[in-house]
Amino acid sequence: MKAAVYERYGTVDELRIEEVPVPVPAAGEVLVRVVATSVNLSDWETLRGSPAYARTSGLFRPGRRILGSDIAGEVVAVGPGVSRFAVGDAVYGDILQRKGGFAEYAVAHESELAAKPAELSFAEASTIPQAGAIAQHGVARGRPGDRMLVNGAGGGSGMFLIQLATAAGMHVTAVDNGEKLAFMQSLGADDVIDYRTTDYTRSGPYDVIIDMVARRSMFAYRRALAPGGRFFMVGGTTRALLRALTLGTLIGAVSGRRIGILAVGEGPEHFEPVAAACVAGDVGIRIDSEFGLGDIAAALSHHGEGHALGKVVVRVAPE
Ligand SMILES: NC(=O)c1ccc[n+]([C@@H]2O[C@H](COP(=O)([O-])OP(=O)(O)OC[C@H]3O[C@@H](n4cnc5c(N)ncnc54)[C@H](OP(=O)(O)O)[C@@H]3O)[C@@H](O)[C@H]2O)c1
């Protein structure tokens, strides 16, 4: 089968399309013929090996040669003991820990997958698992009437979170680069901030902050929070992560606020509610562009260069 492989951490120049063996599903696993897969920031991070916590598969060299987490496709083989799926089922899910989605076939544990709703195309379904789970966890940290700020809101997770939070009655301030401000408003954001010109930690205060790309000091986050406010880091620098777990916890405790990490659970229960909202028409899926598997480097570059308004999808096979 064809797959996008890489041997060293680096830029998209490390990626090349190779013929590799089709993986064999072990006990509890299924083999999926991938129809579509979407690009997440975690793919970029694992390609670059930065932040350092993206090197979980290998400190100096990637232990897994194929990236790609969000997959949607058809089950073509099942391993021993699989009970939830059979050959021919249309499925989608996030294989963040094992990866391997940027390929014609990928293996997933059956617990990582859900049955694809017939109302969604494979491309649409591939946009939901990782970003939808993050958004679902993010909105659960707010309450109706809260002033919620989402930093990095113009990306995949933000696309879902803006819609879920405004529907839940929160006042949403969305932060991203200037090219994405109108896009975020079209999703329902009440206020928008361009991170290239304005420091959001000097605005507010906010009851809840969800930060997809945290890199500021814990004192800055404390400043932006209202009394009783909560800050949750989803992604960002290793330094911000370590500080959130140490100094942030302390600063939060002594100031009557909370600073911590948003640990996002994996599995269908975390993303299926978002898919249901999409099927019901309450949440819209915006696909910025589609690329072929052979153009994987261009797909990642397009996502990384700051122009994508919505998810970037890699189409591996026709619908
Ligand atoms: N906590 C968990 O359990 C968990 C689980 C899975 C994934 N994650 C993490 O979740 C994060 C978000 O993923 P995603 O796929 O939603 O990302 P995404 O689609 O790339 O969106 C991130 C957005 O942030 C913007 N941005 C970049 N630098 C910024 C800055 N300094 N200030 C404000 N915005 C900035 C980007 O815009 P530009 O185009 O300008 O760069 C982009 O629009 C990733 O770091 C991923 O590793 C966390």
Side-chain angles (χ1 to χ4, degrees):
M1 69 168 186
K2 288 190 171 48
V5 302
Y6 78 128
E7 308 287 349
R8 293 183 309 189
Y9 294 118
T11 68
V12 291
D13 295 337
E14 300 297 333
L15 291 167
R16 59 183 187 283
I17 303 296
E18 263 189 17
E19 280 293 331
V20 300
V22 175
V24 178
E29 295 178 345
V30 304
L31 180 66
V32 177
R33 182 179 65 81
V34 180
V35 175
T37 166
S38 77
V39 176
N40 291 290
L41 185 53
S42 54
D43 295 311
W44 256 111
E45 294 167 340
T46 319
L47 172 65
R48 290 198 318 253
S50 173
Y53 59 75
R55 297 189 177 220
T56 48
S57 79
L59 191 54
F60 301 108
R61 298 178 81 86
R64 296 187 193 88
R65 297 171 68 219
I66 307 173
L67 295 171
S69 293
D70 277 339
I71 57 168
E74 182 192 1
V75 174
V76 290
V78 299
V82 168
S83 59
R84 294 184 54 229
F85 298 108
V87 170
D89 286 351
V91 295
Y92 70 120
D94 180 7
I95 51 171
L96 178 64
Q97 302 307 330
R98 72 174 74 217
K99 299 201 169 52
F102 293 163
E104 290 178 316
Y105 296 89
V107 153
H109 195 275
E110 64 172 339
S111 64
E112 295 170 311
L113 299 173
K116 181 185 79 64
E119 297 86 346
L120 300 180
S121 67
F122 286 98
E124 288 171 332
S126 78
T127 67
I128 295 174
Q130 193 170 124
I134 291 173
Q136 185 66 21
H137 278 72
V139 74
R141 297 303 185 277
R143 295 185 282 262
D146 271 355
R147 295 159 292 181
M148 175 182 276
L149 180 135
V150 183
N151 190 39
S157 310
M159 171 182 83
F160 291 121
L161 181 51
I162 290 172
Q163 298 182 72
L164 292 172
T166 51
M170 297 172 213
H171 181 281
V172 176
T173 301
V175 187
D176 213 297
N177 80 56
E179 281 184 40
K180 301 185 183 178
L181 302 188
F183 171 68
M184 297 189 296
Q185 283 169 320
S186 76
L187 296 169
D190 298 285
D191 296 312
V192 290
I193 294 175
D194 180 352
Y195 76 80
R196 290 181 177 156
T197 60
T198 306
D199 174 0
Y200 86 77
T201 68
R202 295 190 180 278
S203 66
Y206 302 98
D207 302 303
V208 190
I209 298 174
I210 307 290
D211 200 331
M212 310 294 176
V213 284
R215 58 196 67 227
R216 302 298 310 279
S217 81
M218 296 304 122
F219 295 102
Y221 295 136
R222 184 228 163 277
R223 178 172 65 218
L225 287 174
R230 290 95 65 204
F231 171 90
F232 297 97
M233 172 177 174
V234 179
T237 63
T238 305
R239 174 182 288 200
L241 175 74
L242 295 175
R243 286 181 173 171
L245 290 170
T246 54
L247 186 60
T249 308
L250 190 65
I251 292 174
V254 298
S255 67
R257 292 160 174 82
R258 183 173 164 205
I259 296 177
I261 308 295
L262 190 72
V264 178
E266 288 165 39
E269 70 269 33
H270 301 290
F271 60 79
E272 279 191 302
V274 178
C278 295
V279 169
D282 298 333
V283 168
I285 299 170
R286 308 282 184 92
I287 294 178
D288 173 87
S289 44
E290 281 191 13
F291 292 79
L293 183 59
D295 295 323
I296 190 78
L300 279 162
S301 295
H302 184 66
H303 172 264
E305 282 164 3
H307 309 303
L309 302 178
K311 292 283 290 189
V312 174
V313 167
V314 176
R315 174 164 297 286
V316 183
E319 285 286 327

